[in-house]
Amino acid sequence: MEHMKYIESKKNDEIKQLKKLSATKNIRKTGTYMIEGFHLVREADQYEQKFLKLFVTENYADDRLVKKYYDIATTVSEDVAEEMSETKTPQGIFAVIKVADVEDSPKLSGKWVILDDVQDPGNVGTIVRTADAAGFDGVITSLNSADTYQPKVQRSMQGSQFHLPIYRMDIKKAIKLAQDSSMKVYGSEVDKNAKPYNKLAKADDFALIMGNEAHGVSREVLVNCDENIYIPILGKAESLNVAVAAGVLMYGLQSL
Amino acid sequence: MEHMKYIESKKNDEIKQLKKLSATKNIRKTGTYMIEGFHLVREADQYEQKFLKLFVTENYADDRLVKKYYDIATTVSEDVAEEMSETKTPQGIFAVIKVADVEDSPKLSGKWVILDDVQDPGNVGTIVRTADAAGFDGVITSLNSADTYQPKVQRSMQGSQFHLPIYRMDIKKAIKLAQDSSMKVYGSEVDKNAKPYNKLAKADDFALIMGNEAHGVSREVLVNCDENIYIPILGKAESLNVAVAAGVLMYGLQSL
């Protein structure tokens, strides 16, 4: 067996190109993105994502997963791993993966979350992870939400991105798709005039819309929903963090 | 009326000293901490926190709140505000506040959250904010949890730190205090052998323990709990983010 290709210098051209992959526009342009960390790389492999490249530090060289991708694997120095990493303590394993092909107008069913311009990458990632945990069927992000292929979003999804479909489209189109599929569409808002979430009638197929951190779900969207719901504030806080609110609502609606 | 004191240079000694206040050890040593942003400063004023200093950029100079604290207020340049700020787009208003006096052995009642070494500042802050929203009566953080006076924690609490008591003590002492006050103590874990949270008997007085991001609630703590509970994972995710889990549990236990 030949030795794997080895990159020692962080000034290497290939490494410089890879660093650019964290920018959303380059992800969409190249149709590829990078994930980092053993857990995520293993999940991607297990859920049959298309690997284009694998980069590992020497301590991973004998790993079974790395051997599987031997033909596309490169060993890198600790120095290079630090340069590639988005974290302070890199694990030393990175994969470049093909962006999943997604249908333009998917048929929806079951329980979905739609994000109306949720902009913090940690919030978007955490909501996808929670949707997975709560047994939801998929997530749609509006065009101004944080891109789910961004490294920070990828990291907070913790592998859930491989467990359920994630689409990106205009929010109006998303609502139309859901309603065309006979799903109820619930807008969420911080407004006591909306319906408390735990008073909703149980539904098997619905889409739950979560809004922007500062402005919530836009008025334009709320008027098109079948029902608007809120989480009662029992103390003195003005609102909840959007990822926490999504969790309360997803589990709350699952146990109606 | 005299003009307020004005600081133009970010190399000013007072500003340099203030920058050091974000370090936990200095907060505890000086018994003071800094908060930033209009919303937080207004909440602190409204909930009668003890202001020691106020720093504002010129656009705030005529604000009613600033006039109230005229004697301890200083105007600073935009340059200084940027230097003082923990955010990328500073609002230009900062207050130095006295750390609240807290009893050493408070009497607890009602619904409390106890954090067993929750280390991410955003998670700790978000949990306090959620505890406030969910109508809980207070929060106790273990000695290895992120310090609630840290700027990042202060920011994510969004003013809830002024709405409910937050204590910091050894976790064993916290559990003993709760049990001595006839409260049920619930440990949370990611383990199907624990009890699903929605199957718990309703209780008016209880303490809910949330655990460290990587290791959960420690085994040593779990064995001392009256009941251990979990959030059913309905999909393929391995776990939930701790702040989301806290939200699901707090609202879930409130609606038993």
Side-chain angles (χ1 to χ4, degrees):
Chain A
M1 227 182 195
E2 278 183 75
H3 278 295
M4 271 189 259
K5 191 169 105 184
Y6 179 71
I7 299 180
E8 168 139 28
S9 163
K10 60 186 184 188
K11 288 180 179 152
N12 175 288
D13 277 343
E14 190 172 359
I15 302 303
K16 281 189 196 160
Q17 289 303 316
L18 281 170
K19 283 294 286 180
K20 291 185 188 156
L21 251 193
S22 58
T24 306
K25 69 169 199 280
N26 292 331
I27 292 169
R28 295 288 167 186
K29 197 166 74 183
T30 62
T32 62
Y33 67 108
M34 189 160 72
I35 57 171
E36 170 176 0
F38 190 73
H39 172 74
L40 218 49
V41 171
R42 192 189 53 196
E43 288 280 303
D45 170 61
Q46 192 178 335
Y47 286 91
E48 298 181 348
Q49 302 299 302
K50 171 78 179 153
F51 280 54
L52 302 173
K53 290 176 184 173
L54 186 68
F55 297 87
V56 294
T57 47
E58 283 184 78
N59 51 320
Y60 281 103
D62 289 327
D63 190 275
R64 203 162 50 88
L65 183 62
V66 175
K67 285 186 172 159
K68 174 173 172 187
Y69 293 106
Y70 195 89
D71 290 345
I72 56 163
T74 301
T75 318
V76 297
S77 64
E78 298 287 343
D79 225 30
V80 169
E82 266 177 43
E83 179 71 11
M84 292 174 76
S85 181
E86 297 274 333
T87 71
K88 280 180 198 162
T89 50
Q91 290 179 33
I93 180 162
F94 308 83
V96 176
I97 294 183
K98 194 170 169 300
V99 167
D101 291 322
V102 290
E103 295 159 70
D104 192 41
S105 289
K107 182 100 180 100
L108 308 183
S109 69
K111 299 172 174 71
W112 285 67
V113 180
I114 299 175
L115 304 186
D116 181 16
D117 299 359
V118 176
Q119 289 185 317
D120 178 80
N123 284 340
V124 171
T126 302
I127 293 173
V128 172
R129 179 180 172 194
T130 308
D132 179 14
F136 272 53
D137 297 282
V139 177
I140 298 175
T141 67
S142 67
L143 301 175
N144 289 320
S145 295
D147 195 305
T148 48
Y149 287 105
Q150 272 184 54
K152 270 192 189 171
V153 183
Q154 287 286 320
R155 204 159 56 239
S156 34
M157 291 192 287
Q158 301 244 332
S160 291
Q161 61 270 51
F162 309 125
H163 304 162
L164 78 184
I166 304 171
Y167 296 110
R168 186 174 185 83
M169 64 181 76
D170 181 81
I171 184 99
K172 284 181 205 154
K173 184 176 168 185
I175 295 173
K176 191 173 180 314
L177 269 182
Q179 289 173 333
D180 286 351
S181 307
S182 307
M183 297 162 80
K184 291 272 180 201
V185 177
Y186 304 137
S188 57
E189 48 180 339
V190 185
D191 181 347
K192 289 182 185 169
N193 296 316
K195 184 176 268 197
Y197 72 96
N198 45 3
K199 300 282 184 276
L200 261 188
K202 188 177 177 60
D204 289 330
D205 298 80
F206 64 80
L208 167 66
I209 308 183
M210 301 305 304
N212 174 269
E213 288 83 352
H215 312 292
V217 177
S218 74
R219 193 52 38 193
E220 211 183 341
V221 166
L222 287 173
V223 297
N224 284 310
C225 292
D226 296 298
E227 190 106 58
N228 290 320
I229 60 176
Y230 86 107
I231 299 174
I233 299 290
L234 309 168
K236 302 191 195 94
E238 285 177 12
S239 63
L240 287 161
N241 163 278
V242 63
V244 171
V248 170
L249 290 175
M250 286 191 260
Y251 270 94
L253 298 183
Q254 280 290 26
S255 47
L256 282 175
Chain B
M1 227 178 194
E2 278 181 74
H3 277 296
M4 272 188 260
K5 192 169 104 184
Y6 179 70
I7 299 180
E8 168 138 29
S9 163
K10 60 186 183 189
K11 288 181 181 152
N12 175 286
D13 276 343
E14 189 173 356
I15 302 304
K16 280 189 196 158
Q17 288 304 318
L18 282 170
K19 282 295 285 181
K20 291 185 187 156
L21 253 193
S22 59
T24 306
K25 69 167 198 280
N26 293 331
I27 292 169
R28 294 289 167 186
K29 198 166 72 183
T30 62
T32 61
Y33 67 109
M34 190 161 69
I35 58 170
E36 171 177 358
F38 191 73
H39 173 73
L40 218 49
V41 171
R42 193 188 51 195
E43 288 280 303
D45 170 60
Q46 193 177 335
Y47 287 90
E48 299 180 349
Q49 301 299 303
K50 169 79 180 155
F51 280 54
L52 302 174
K53 289 176 183 174
L54 186 67
F55 297 86
V56 296
T57 47
E58 284 184 78
N59 51 318
Y60 281 103
D62 289 326
D63 190 274
R64 205 161 47 89
L65 184 61
V66 175
K67 287 189 171 158
K68 176 174 169 186
Y69 292 106
Y70 195 87
D71 290 345
I72 55 163
T74 301
T75 318
V76 297
S77 65
E78 298 288 342
D79 227 29
V80 169
E82 266 177 43
E83 179 71 10
M84 291 175 74
S85 181
E86 298 274 332
T87 71
K88 280 182 197 158
T89 50
Q91 291 179 31
I93 181 163
F94 307 83
V96 176
I97 293 182
K98 194 170 168 301
V99 166
D101 291 320
V102 291
E103 295 158 72
D104 192 42
S105 289
K107 182 100 180 98
L108 307 182
S109 70
K111 300 174 173 70
W112 285 68
V113 180
I114 298 175
L115 306 185
D116 183 16
D117 299 358
V118 176
Q119 289 185 318
D120 179 80
N123 284 339
V124 170
T126 302
I127 293 173
V128 171
R129 178 181 174 192
T130 309
D132 178 16
F136 273 52
D137 296 282
V139 177
I140 298 175
T141 68
S142 66
L143 300 175
N144 289 319
S145 294
D147 195 305
T148 48
Y149 287 105
Q150 273 184 54
K152 270 191 189 170
V153 183
Q154 287 286 321
R155 205 159 55 240
S156 35
M157 291 193 285
Q158 302 243 333
S160 291
Q161 62 270 50
F162 309 124
H163 304 160
L164 77 185
I166 305 170
Y167 295 111
R168 185 173 184 83
M169 64 180 78
D170 181 80
I171 183 98
K172 282 181 204 155
K173 183 177 168 183
I175 294 173
K176 191 171 179 315
L177 269 182
Q179 289 174 334
D180 286 351
S181 308
S182 308
M183 298 162 80
K184 291 269 181 203
V185 177
Y186 304 137
S188 57
E189 49 181 340
V190 186
D191 181 349
K192 288 182 187 169
N193 296 316
K195 182 175 269 196
Y197 72 95
N198 45 2
K199 299 282 185 275
L200 261 187
K202 187 176 178 60
D204 289 329
D205 297 80
F206 63 81
L208 167 67
I209 308 183
M210 301 305 304
N212 174 270
E213 288 83 353
H215 312 293
V217 177
S218 74
R219 193 48 45 193
E220 210 182 341
V221 166
L222 287 173
V223 296
N224 284 310
C225 292
D226 297 299
E227 190 108 58
N228 290 319
I229 60 176
Y230 86 107
I231 298 174
I233 299 289
L234 309 168
K236 300 192 195 95
E238 286 176 13
S239 63
L240 286 161
N241 163 277
V242 64
V244 172
V248 171
L249 290 176
M250 286 191 261
Y251 270 94
L253 298 184
Q254 279 289 27
S255 49
L256 282 175

